[in-house]
């Protein structure tokens, strides 16, 4: 969990808390491995081919842009797979979860401003 806010979870069993820092080498290694596997999915392959990005560049760039956050990767990879970023260069995809949310909100508003 992030330490920005002290959020108490309701857990009815014994627990241990582990702090995983975004720049911890183990976290970065996990992100690299996650991206390595994700880059083999069909939608990601389509994006990489269209953008002429190699596997290593994809993993390196998204590792940096994720800022160590797996939730960011979950949503951004989903958007890449479904083609939302098809015409957007990898380095133009929003960096970090906050920027992703802001970009997503703007795209949602652009679809139906009245709603």
């Amino acid at each position: 969990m992030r330490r920005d806010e002290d959020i108490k979870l309701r857990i009815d069993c014994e627990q241990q808390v582990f702090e995983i820092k975004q720049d911890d080498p183990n976290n970065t290694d996990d992100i690299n491995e996650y991206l390595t596997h994700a880059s083999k999915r069909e939608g990601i392959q389509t994006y990489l081919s269209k953008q002429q990005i190699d596997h290593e560049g994809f993993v390196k760039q998204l590792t940096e842009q994720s800022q160590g956050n797996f939730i960011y990767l979950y949503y951004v990879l989903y958007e890449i797979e479904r083609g939302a970023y098809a015409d957007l260069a990898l380095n133009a995809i929003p960096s970090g979860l906050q920027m992703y949310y802001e970009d997503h909100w703007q795209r949602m508003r652009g679809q139906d401003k009245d709603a």
Side-chain angles (χ1 to χ4, degrees), residues 17-114:
V17 175
F18 293 96
E19 183 175 356
I20 301 173
K21 296 185 183 202
Q22 68 187 42
D23 57 352
D24 183 284
N26 292 322
N27 189 46
T28 302
D29 289 346
D30 288 345
I31 286 172
N32 286 330
E33 185 174 340
Y34 180 70
L35 288 169
T36 294
H37 290 290
S39 70
K40 296 173 185 169
R41 299 192 303 234
E42 185 177 340
I44 304 293
Q45 284 291 312
T46 300
Y47 175 80
L48 294 177
S49 177
K50 184 173 183 178
Q51 295 294 324
Q52 299 179 345
I53 301 168
D54 64 11
H55 164 78
E56 291 79 19
F58 174 76
V59 170
K60 183 178 186 298
Q61 183 71 36
L62 269 188
T63 296
E64 291 173 11
Q65 286 177 230
S66 75
Q67 299 173 348
N69 191 312
F70 274 92
I71 297 297
Y72 168 88
L73 292 173
Y74 174 83
Y75 286 111
V76 166
L77 290 172
Y78 172 78
E79 296 284 358
I80 290 171
E81 282 189 280
R82 73 179 190 94
Y85 295 133
D87 297 323
L88 198 60
L90 186 59
N91 64 357
I93 292 174
S95 292
L97 194 56
Q98 182 68 36
M99 292 300 294
Y100 167 79
Y101 285 149
E102 289 176 21
D103 175 70
H104 186 73
W105 173 246
Q106 292 303 320
R107 287 186 288 132
M108 284 176 50
R109 288 188 67 206
Q111 292 174 3
D112 186 354
K113 291 186 183 210
D114 293 335

Side-chain angles (χ1 to χ4, degrees), residues 1 7-17:
M1 75 175 139
I7 300 172
K8 301 293 182 198
L9 301 175
R10 193 180 117 216
I11 301 173
D12 297 327
C13 63
E14 192 174 314
Q15 62 178 323
Q16 279 186 298
V17 175

